[in-house]
């Protein structure tokens, strides 16, 4: 035990005496959460809008005021000249324009639409504003709601009523950070011992390989727990993402995922010969699948069959699904049994392979 | 009991032979030197003895334990192994490194302090300095401390004096002498010929073979059976080829600022040589009889080996 503890202490020395490692371990989670929470957001805010107002009455003025007040739009210009609107579109100064005809019930929305996702979102926001009741009056353009056979669809968004992007990104960022820290750091750590030759001396000592591996992984597990706490606090109090389920369950599930990532790192260390190779393998083989195949950005359900199967072996996919269930939907442990089982299985298989592949010789 | 017994060990990496049928043995409390140039196979032999590599053929025993079958017992602190490159933790301090390796071997620095005291007092002023900021000599002294801290029966030191200044080299060899007297069997490799004289016995390694082994003094006497001369003239370049064509010459090679010429047994008349060189047009000729060093013996052995190939 003494042997093990002094090994762990040595690992902490390595971590705390290298400024770059420290920065990566402790600052990266904070930066990523803030980056994904604010800068990289699928929500569109304060999009400039121009209004071509032929109506010029109380109703159109009130509508324009509503757009001015919305956090999604800022009013660029109000004009009566159609040519000016087209000019603004060509210059790229506006992404969307409203047209109020001189008479009749309908309003038109013109959209730039070079970026389809943005156009869809903006027209949805604009339609929602136009369909809302005017202050002190009934719905002004009832026809907007009733297109499509006269059935009125009442939409309610259960778990994310404001359609906030951060509800999706926080679980994704947790999945990304834990795998980066645990897998990359442990794989680089083990390979460094081999590269600098200290592994030669350790191998000739009475230390058992399993001890070496465990002692290498333990500090990163502790740091991951700190990171999980940081991310949860940041998302709760900075990004206003609720934690609806049990915090203990969420942390326990995250620790299981961190373990899988550690095992993955140990496995990588048995393949890579140099620190650079370990870094590259962790970067390319872990980060890309986590970003692309975990459902964090692109929905897995729409992918071709082969990519869907490939995504099944990405631990982050199961972790993110589980975190969404517990954190956003507030479900209990029964709902994430499948995810837990799959992650546990991955951890066991990876540990077995790593210990088997761990060379007791050079 | 013999500390190390090596019998007909061979090892190849891919198609390249690193060791070919090497045999030697190191007695208990003996300081044994493996002398040879880079690429001679010294490190491979050390690693096989440290149980880090498996030999292709042959067998080897360390402390009476077989390196292939009993490797786990050997790793329970029987040997102290110091690899050729600096293999300690550069970001730990001197003292942290020693304490770490002590705990890895389930002991403490205090318990075995008497064994490392002589070396440790020299690096003690820097004990809070990180190992990466030590000088080459200090690093090797620290590495020796770490290899000794668990009181091993046998020390395997792979080129401990490479990259070390001359003063520290002498100090390191003094320490090895003291350890030997405490009963530790030491196998040390070095590319420096002048260090061979400090060993009890030496083996000459060259391209994977053990060419010859014995006590340095005896080796010099044996090699001294034929006369050796240091020869100089004003045209050293032409002198080398002329000396090689001298009828009584056994071998001749450049040795620093002079050429070392070995005469065939029975040919011991230096005055004949001077006259012969004068005829060849050399001026400023000096011919000095000298005593044979390990390096002369070494060059002879390599020349013989290459002729046989």
């Amino acid at each position: 035990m003494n042997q093990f503890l002094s090994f762990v202490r040595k690992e902490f020395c390595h971590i705390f005496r290298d400024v770059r490692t420290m920065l990566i371990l402790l600052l990266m989670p904070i930066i990523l959460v803030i980056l994904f929470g604010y800068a990289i957001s699928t929500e569109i805010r304060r999009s400039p809008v121009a209004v071509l107002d032929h109506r010029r009455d109380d109703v159109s003025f009130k509508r324009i005021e509503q757009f001015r007040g919305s956090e999604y739009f800022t009013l660029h210009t109000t004009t009566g000249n159609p040519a000016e609107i087209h000019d603004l579109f060509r210059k790229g100064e506006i992404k969307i324009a409203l047209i109020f005809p001189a008479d009749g019930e309908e309003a038109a929305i013109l959209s730039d639409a070079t970026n389809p996702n943005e156009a869809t979102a903006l027209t949805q926001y604009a339609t929602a504003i136009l369909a809302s009741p005017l202050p002190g009056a009934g719905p002004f353009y009832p026809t907007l709601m009733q297109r499509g056979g006269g059935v009125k669809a009442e939409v309610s968004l259960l778990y994310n009523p404001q359609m906030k992007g951060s509800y999706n990104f926080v679980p994704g960022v947790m999945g990304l950070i834990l795998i980066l820290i645990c897998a990359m750091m442990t794989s680089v750590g083990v390979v460094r011992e081999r590269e600098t030759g200290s592994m030669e001396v350790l191998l000739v000592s009475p230390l058992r390989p399993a001890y070496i591996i465990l002692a290498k992984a333990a500090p990163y597990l502790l740091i991951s727990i700190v990171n999980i706490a940081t991310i949860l606090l940041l998302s709760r109090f900075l990004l206003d993402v609720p934690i609806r389920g049990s915090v203990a369950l969420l942390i326990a599930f995250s620790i299981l995922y961190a373990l899988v990532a550690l095992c993955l790192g140990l496995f990588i260390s048995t393949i890579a010969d140099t620190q650079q190779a370990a870094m590259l393998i962790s970067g390319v083989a872990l980060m890309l699948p986590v970003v692309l195949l975990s459902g964090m950005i692109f929905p897995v359900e729409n992918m071709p069959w082969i990519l869907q199967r490939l995504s099944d072996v990405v631990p982050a996919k199961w972790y993110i699904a589980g975190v969404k269930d517990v954190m956003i939907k507030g479900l209990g442990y029964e709902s994430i049994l499948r995810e837990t089982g799959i992650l546990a299985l991955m951890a066991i298989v990876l540990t077995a392979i790593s210990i088997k592949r761990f060379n007791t010789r050079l | 009991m013999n500390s190390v017994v090596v019998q007909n060990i061979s090892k190849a990496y891919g198609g390249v032979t690193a060791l070919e049928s090497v045999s030697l043995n190191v007695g208990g409390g003996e300081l044994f030197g493996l002398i040879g140039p880079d690429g001679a196979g010294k490190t491979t032999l050390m690693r096989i003895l440290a149980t880090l590599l498996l030999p292709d053929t042959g067998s080897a025993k360390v402390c009476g334990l077989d390196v292939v079958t009993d490797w786990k017992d050997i790793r329970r602190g029987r040997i102290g192994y110091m690899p050729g490159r600096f293999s300690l933790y550069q970001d730990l301090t001197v003292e942290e490194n020693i304490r770490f390796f002590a705990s890895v071997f389930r002991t403490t620095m205090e318990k075995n302090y008497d064994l490392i005291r002589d070396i440790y007092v020299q690096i003690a002023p820097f004990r809070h300095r990180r190992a990466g900021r030590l000088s080459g000599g200090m690093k090797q002294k620290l590495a020796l401390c770490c290899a000794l801290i668990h009181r091993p029966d046998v020390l395997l030191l792979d080129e401990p004096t490479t990259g070390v200044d001359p003063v520290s080299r002498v100090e390191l060899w003094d320490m090895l002498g003291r350890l030997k007297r405490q009963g530790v069997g030491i196998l040390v490799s070095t590319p420096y010929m002048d260090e061979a004289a400090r060993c009890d016995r030496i083996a000459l390694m060259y391209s994977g073979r053990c060419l010859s082994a014995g006590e340095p003094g005896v080796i010099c006497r044996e090699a001294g059976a034929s006369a050796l001369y240091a020869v100089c003239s004003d045209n050293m370049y032409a002198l080398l080829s002329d000396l090689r064509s001298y009828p009584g010459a056994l071998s001749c090679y450049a040795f620093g600022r002079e050429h070392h010429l070995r005469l065939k047994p029975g040919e011991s008349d230096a005055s004949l040589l001077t006259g012969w060189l004068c005829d060849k047009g050399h001026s400023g000729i000096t011919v000095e009889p000298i005593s044979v060093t390990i390096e002369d013996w070494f060059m002879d052995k390599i020349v013989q080996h290459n002729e046989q190939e």
Side-chain angles (χ1 to χ4, degrees), chain A residues 154-166:
Chain A
E154 191 78 52
V155 180
S156 47
L157 303 163
L158 283 179
Y159 300 111
N160 186 0
Q162 293 158 286
M163 293 281 273
K164 277 191 166 180
S166 49

Side-chain angles (χ1 to χ4, degrees), chain A residues 3 6 14 17 193 200 360, chain B residues 75 81 89 96 103-104:
Chain A
Q3 229 181 347
S6 67
H14 289 322
R17 285 179 190 181
E193 296 259 359
E200 262 181 81
T360 52
Chain B
R75 288 186 184 183
Y81 170 55
Y89 298 104
E96 283 168 338
S103 76
V104 159

Side-chain angles (χ1 to χ4, degrees), chain B:
Chain B
M1 190 180 69
N2 278 335
S3 296
V4 176
V5 179
V6 178
Q7 278 172 330
N8 297 318
I9 288 265
S10 295
K11 173 81 185 172
Y13 299 104
V16 185
T17 308
L19 288 178
E20 205 175 323
S21 192
V22 171
S23 301
L24 53 89
N25 62 73
V26 181
E30 186 178 32
L31 179 52
F32 193 100
L34 280 179
I35 319 288
D38 292 347
K42 305 189 297 289
T43 298
T44 304
L45 183 59
M46 286 284 182
R47 284 182 169 167
I48 288 174
L49 293 175
T51 72
L52 289 169
L53 285 177
L54 291 173
D56 294 340
T57 58
S59 70
K61 280 186 173 160
V62 177
C63 314
L65 298 164
D66 191 280
V67 292
V68 179
T69 54
D70 305 326
W71 60 278
K72 277 189 178 159
D73 293 316
I74 294 177
R75 288 186 184 183
R76 268 180 209 134
R78 301 303 296 273
I79 55 168
Y81 170 55
M82 189 172 146
R85 55 186 168 158
F86 185 66
S87 306
L88 304 179
Y89 298 104
Q90 315 247 4
D91 46 359
L92 296 191
T93 66
V94 169
E95 198 176 323
E96 283 168 338
N97 264 300
I98 299 178
R99 289 194 185 280
F100 171 71
F101 282 102
S103 76
V104 159
F105 284 94
R106 296 200 187 92
T107 179
T108 60
M109 187 173 160
E110 285 72 21
K111 219 189 237 170
N112 293 324
Y113 183 70
D114 60 299
L115 199 62
I116 60 164
R117 186 181 48 228
D118 291 337
I119 316 165
Y120 185 67
V121 290
Q122 300 187 31
I123 50 174
F126 312 102
R127 66 176 174 274
H128 296 305
R129 190 184 283 193
R130 292 191 189 173
R133 301 211 192 105
L134 292 175
S135 67
M138 291 289 173
K139 276 182 180 166
Q140 294 306 78
K141 283 173 194 167
L142 173 60
L144 188 57
C145 278
C146 291
L148 270 175
I149 193 65
H150 60 285
R151 206 174 278 277
D153 302 327
V154 175
L155 262 185
L156 303 173
L157 310 175
D158 194 3
E159 302 202 0
T161 54
T162 299
V164 173
D165 66 276
V167 178
S168 297
R169 270 169 61 186
V170 171
E171 286 171 353
L172 269 168
W173 277 99
D174 289 345
M175 289 164 202
L176 296 186
R178 279 198 288 274
L179 287 171
K180 180 192 79 173
R181 281 193 289 281
Q182 297 191 34
V184 182
I186 305 172
L187 180 64
V188 55
S189 73
T190 176
Y192 302 122
M193 306 296 156
D194 53 323
E195 295 180 343
R198 308 211 46 168
C199 301
D200 295 332
R201 283 192 303 142
I202 54 171
L204 169 64
M205 290 201 66
Y206 184 72
S207 67
R209 286 166 193 270
C210 183
L211 294 187
S212 185
E215 288 173 37
V218 173
I219 284 172
C220 286
R221 249 174 283 133
E222 277 172 13
S226 51
L228 187 71
Y229 293 93
V231 188
C232 292
S233 84
D234 292 338
N235 187 349
M236 293 298 283
Y237 182 72
L239 182 66
L240 186 62
S241 53
D242 285 341
L243 283 173
R244 280 179 178 159
S245 64
Y246 181 63
L250 186 68
S251 65
C252 181
Y253 42 86
F255 195 101
R257 297 165 70 180
E258 41 196 37
H259 295 318
H260 280 191
L261 172 74
R262 186 183 290 280
L263 293 179
K264 285 175 183 160
E267 296 265 353
S268 54
D269 198 349
S271 55
L272 285 176
L273 175 66
T274 316
W276 188 78
L277 286 175
C278 275
D279 294 344
K280 287 272 177 186
H282 284 279
S283 57
I285 304 162
T286 59
V287 178
E288 295 278 334
I290 51 171
S291 58
V292 178
T293 65
I294 300 281
E295 198 158 348
D296 295 306
W297 169 75
F298 181 75
M299 294 305 288
D300 270 358
K301 287 289 175 190
I302 289 176
V303 169
Q304 278 172 26
H305 173 78
N306 288 341
E307 276 167 5
Q308 281 162 19
E309 287 289 289

Side-chain angles (χ1 to χ4, degrees), chain A residues 15-244:
Chain A
I15 296 168
F16 290 131
R17 285 179 190 181
D18 187 30
V19 180
R20 270 185 305 171
T21 316
M22 278 279 285
L23 286 181
I24 291 177
L25 286 177
L26 298 176
L27 270 184
M28 193 172 70
I30 298 172
I31 291 172
L32 275 184
V33 168
I34 294 175
L35 208 66
F36 276 113
Y38 284 110
I40 307 171
S41 168
T42 47
E43 296 165 51
I44 297 145
R45 286 162 195 271
R46 287 190 285 283
S47 186
V49 59
V51 179
L52 178 60
D53 192 0
H54 295 302
R55 195 180 170 110
R56 303 192 62 78
D57 65 358
D58 191 41
V59 173
S60 70
F61 289 156
K62 276 187 175 166
R63 283 295 176 205
I64 292 168
E65 272 317 301
Q66 276 184 314
F67 272 86
R68 202 200 294 275
S70 159
E71 61 172 322
Y72 300 118
F73 298 104
T74 50
L75 193 63
H76 188 277
T77 30
T78 311
T79 175
N81 179 7
E84 195 184 338
I85 298 286
H86 284 282
D87 199 39
L88 287 173
F89 269 120
R90 271 196 291 271
K91 284 185 190 159
E93 286 181 23
I94 54 168
K95 294 285 185 213
I96 192 165
L98 292 177
I99 303 167
F100 293 104
D103 49 14
E105 294 273 280
E106 302 201 339
I109 299 169
L110 275 179
S111 172
D112 176 309
T114 40
N115 180 340
N117 290 332
E118 192 186 40
T120 315
L122 285 177
T123 48
Q124 267 173 8
Y125 297 149
T127 315
I129 291 175
L130 291 174
S132 65
L134 268 181
F140 176 56
Y141 293 117
T143 43
L144 272 172
M145 303 280 296
Q146 284 168 10
R147 256 181 222 144
V151 177
K152 189 176 170 187
E154 191 78 52
V155 180
S156 47
L157 303 163
L158 283 179
Y159 300 111
N160 186 0
Q162 293 158 286
M163 293 281 273
K164 277 191 166 180
S166 49
Y167 281 42
N168 181 36
F169 273 120
V170 166
V173 169
M174 286 174 72
L176 185 65
I177 287 171
L178 290 182
I179 212 147
L180 274 186
I181 286 177
C182 296
M184 189 180 275
M185 291 296 167
T186 38
S187 64
V188 169
V190 175
V191 172
R192 183 175 53 197
E193 296 259 359
R194 224 179 301 141
E195 217 179 19
T196 57
S198 45
M199 191 59 97
E200 262 181 81
V201 183
L202 291 181
L203 284 177
V204 180
S205 79
L207 266 182
R208 300 234 302 275
Y211 263 36
I212 300 181
I213 286 183
L214 277 179
K216 276 269 158 202
Y220 296 107
L221 188 63
L222 281 176
I223 288 175
S224 316
I225 294 172
V226 172
N227 284 329
I228 294 168
T230 318
I231 298 172
L232 288 180
L233 286 173
L234 278 177
S235 57
R236 175 69 189 81
F237 294 106
L238 196 70
L239 304 179
D240 292 323
V241 179
I243 302 174
R244 296 206 176 99

